[in-house]
Amino acid sequence: MISLNKWFHEVKRGEEHHQFGKHHKNYIDVVGQKFGKLLVVEWPPGKGVHCVCDCGRSHVEENSVNLRNGRRKSCGKCTNRSSPNFSHEEDALIKKLAGTCSPEQIANELNKIGRRVATVPTVKNRAKRLSISLRRNGDLYPHTKNKDHDVELCRQLKDAGLTNKEIAEKMEMPLGSVSVYTSFIRRHQYSPNYK
């Protein structure tokens, strides 16, 4: 007497089954067709749809429905979705350019690396994750009240031994502004040669 489990694996799914070695009755032949970046090269019965991506990687999709509906357009390893992690090089570039360049300029620089297609939301979200402010500082910020030169002068006066109150009176600035400049809480940066 054969067990139900053994029967299911050996008979129902095995060579004795009437569909063994055949495609499903609703089979649509997609071999040779291209869906997004994926070219279908082979579709053996019961073994998935074998594809080759434009990037050169092979990919096996369980069935052709996702390909035909447009839900699967690439192998997933050559797009941002499969590799959401930023490299150390990309993070260093964002940290370097934050506060001196606009998000559009940072996105353009990230695109030059060639690892991803960076957009302004991509840059803003990553900067938020890294706890970096993209707000431009000093002379680069259109609504700045104190120029970079004045901020540096406050710091030099602090190094010379003056108190924040004395600096505020000399520079005719609010005491709070002088405090954040001299303690480097707010770091104004000089404009780079960036256009």
Side-chain angles (χ1 to χ4, degrees):
M1 180 103 183
I2 189 168
S3 71
L4 184 62
N5 191 25
K6 190 172 182 183
W7 172 86
F8 183 77
H9 287 289
E10 291 184 3
V11 179
K12 182 73 174 161
R13 287 187 176 175
E15 295 181 11
E16 295 179 31
H17 189 264
H18 71 280
Q19 277 286 348
F20 180 79
K22 298 177 187 175
H23 284 288
H24 190 267
K25 60 184 178 181
N26 297 335
Y27 169 74
I28 297 171
D29 188 14
V30 292
V31 175
Q33 293 183 33
K34 191 163 186 180
F35 301 93
K37 294 182 178 181
L38 294 172
L39 174 66
V40 179
V41 291
E42 186 184 10
W43 190 2
K47 306 232 172 145
V49 184
H50 296 259
C51 309
V52 175
C53 186
D54 286 349
C55 68
R57 291 183 178 93
S58 60
H59 173 75
V60 179
E61 190 70 21
E62 187 177 345
N63 52 53
S64 67
V65 175
N66 289 340
L67 295 170
R68 290 184 283 120
N69 287 346
R71 284 191 292 245
R72 170 65 74 176
K73 297 179 181 178
S74 70
C75 65
K77 297 190 176 171
C78 57
T79 60
N80 293 352
R81 287 182 195 148
S82 72
S83 180
N85 298 330
F86 277 67
S87 66
H88 295 297
E89 182 185 6
E90 290 173 315
D91 285 345
L93 185 65
I94 293 172
K95 287 177 184 176
K96 177 184 171 188
L97 299 179
T100 59
C101 298
S102 66
E104 294 86 1
Q105 291 170 322
I106 296 173
N108 290 336
E109 292 298 316
L110 285 174
N111 288 333
K112 288 178 185 175
I113 294 174
R115 192 165 184 268
R116 69 182 67 246
V117 178
T119 60
V120 171
T122 307
V123 172
K124 287 182 176 178
N125 289 337
R126 187 58 185 170
K128 191 175 180 181
R129 281 268 175 132
L130 296 170
S131 301
I132 298 171
S133 172
L134 292 176
R135 178 177 164 180
R136 290 188 280 181
N137 301 316
D139 296 338
L140 296 172
Y141 183 56
H143 306 292
T144 189
K145 293 179 181 170
N146 302 309
K147 298 293 183 187
D148 287 335
H149 173 72
D150 296 336
V151 173
E152 281 304 309
L153 191 56
C154 288
R155 290 175 181 161
Q156 289 172 6
L157 291 171
K158 181 70 174 179
D159 291 340
L162 273 71
T163 64
N164 287 344
K165 188 173 182 181
E166 293 169 338
I167 297 169
E169 289 171 1
K170 274 189 181 288
M171 299 294 295
E172 297 177 358
M173 288 183 188
L175 180 60
S177 297
V178 172
S179 298
V180 294
Y181 297 149
T182 56
S183 62
F184 288 84
I185 293 172
R186 189 174 303 145
R187 297 174 180 268
H188 282 223
Q189 300 174 24
Y190 286 105
S191 306
N193 295 326
Y194 231 94
K195 299 292 180 192

